[in-house]
Amino acid sequence: FQPLVERVVRAIGSRHIRFLARGVPPGGRILDVGCGRGVLLSELADRGFETHGVERSAAAAEGADPRATIRIVPELAAARYPDGHFDAIVIWHVLEHLREPVATMREMHRILAPGGKLVVAVPNFSSLQARRSGAAWFHLDLPRHVFHFPLETLRRLLVDTGFSVESEHHFSLRQNPFGDVQSRLNLRGDLPRNGLYTLLHRRPPGEPPPFDAATRRRLLLAGLLLAPRAMLATLRETALRSGATVHVVARRTGP
């Protein structure tokens, strides 16, 4: 993202790291499925964990922390990890991108130690934000998202693949308020779809900004004006257990 936005995202991320590390034994082995450039793994390595990642693209993992062991594979099973190898696995907004989510869940069960922690985060297709926004929902993100999971479906998927659900979390300061803002902007026919999201991304040196100056000003002003309303909507949806994104903590059951 643009530098100011990137700093905010990373500051929020420090709270996220503490949550992921909770309950994992000191020095435990953690796998990030779809690790990208390994920002999460770097933070976990700072806390003394043994960090591993899988990623489809070598370019996507470029610049990852050398303390993390990353395997470039087309699917999780191709990494060939031993049975019960990890104390914790994180799959954070990746499951919805995969064409074989059930097979991936079964593989994570195999390579997670008995009683090990699994954290799954996905857009919540049954959320108030999704239902209100319809086709304008920011987190719909077609065609990159090939599956969407109502929360009840995610619960059933976890149980059917050998996990017990420990907790569900509906608040995400990093995801949900912005999703509300961008979804409301997407409902307007006079602004580009996901335009604010595009505008906040960092561009390569020399690349001109997206959209004309007037559109950029309208997007930024609308985003600022909608932010307080989006925060209130996020708190309400959290209280109603209907967050626009949800992350579920589960444990591997069985031997």
Side-chain angles (χ1 to χ4, degrees):
F1 290 100
Q2 297 286 358
L4 176 60
V5 179
E6 184 76 10
R7 285 197 293 273
V8 172
V9 168
R10 287 178 179 268
I12 295 170
S14 63
R15 174 181 175 274
H16 168 59
I17 299 299
R18 290 196 297 273
F19 168 80
L20 294 178
R22 193 179 305 151
V24 181
R29 188 180 291 129
I30 301 178
L31 173 68
D32 184 7
V33 178
C35 63
R37 55 197 169 110
V39 174
L40 169 64
L41 295 176
S42 181
E43 295 275 357
L44 289 169
D46 287 343
R47 288 161 171 77
F49 295 103
E50 181 184 327
T51 55
H52 297 257
V54 292
E55 181 54 64
R56 286 178 172 175
S57 164
E62 188 175 346
D65 193 313
R67 293 174 296 176
T69 303
I70 296 176
R71 300 186 184 185
I72 307 300
V73 290
E75 58 186 20
L76 179 58
R80 299 184 179 278
Y81 292 115
D83 292 353
H85 192 58
F86 294 103
D87 299 295
I89 298 177
V90 179
I91 181 164
W92 195 264
H93 288 279
V94 169
L95 193 66
E96 62 271 21
H97 294 266
L98 304 181
R99 295 195 176 276
E100 298 292 342
V102 177
T104 301
M105 294 292 289
R106 288 174 176 155
E107 179 66 6
M108 289 191 296
H109 181 274
R110 184 186 69 79
I111 63 177
L112 188 62
K117 177 179 179 178
L118 173 67
V119 183
V120 185
V122 294
N124 181 5
F125 195 67
S126 56
S127 67
L128 290 172
Q129 190 182 109
R131 297 200 299 270
R132 182 183 66 244
S133 305
W137 189 36
F138 171 65
H139 297 292
L140 196 61
D141 201 11
L142 300 174
R144 298 193 315 137
H145 292 176
V146 293
F147 284 95
H148 272 287
F149 302 90
L151 181 54
E152 181 55 39
T153 302
L154 180 61
R155 290 191 198 109
R156 188 165 65 247
L157 176 60
L158 284 161
V159 171
D160 287 351
T161 52
F163 295 94
S164 62
V165 174
E166 187 173 271
S167 59
E168 299 169 2
H169 305 265
H170 291 261
F171 181 76
S172 172
L173 186 58
R174 182 162 50 178
Q175 300 275 354
N176 295 1
F178 183 83
D180 185 274
V181 169
Q182 186 62 79
S183 297
R184 292 181 190 277
L185 294 178
N186 286 347
L187 286 166
R188 296 175 50 169
D190 59 336
L191 291 171
R193 183 179 179 89
N194 294 341
L196 183 59
Y197 182 71
T198 301
L199 188 61
L200 294 178
H201 271 86
R202 188 177 348 203
R203 295 177 297 279
E207 180 179 307
F211 321 123
D212 58 70
T215 300
R216 296 197 302 270
R217 286 195 297 271
R218 290 171 62 211
L219 285 167
L220 290 171
L221 179 60
L224 288 171
L225 292 175
L226 287 171
R229 181 177 179 179
M231 194 65 227
L232 289 174
T234 295
L235 294 173
R236 175 175 177 267
E237 290 160 5
T238 301
L240 294 173
R241 300 189 63 75
S242 186
T245 67
V246 63
H247 46 285
V248 177
V249 178
R251 296 281 174 179
R252 176 186 158 169
T253 58

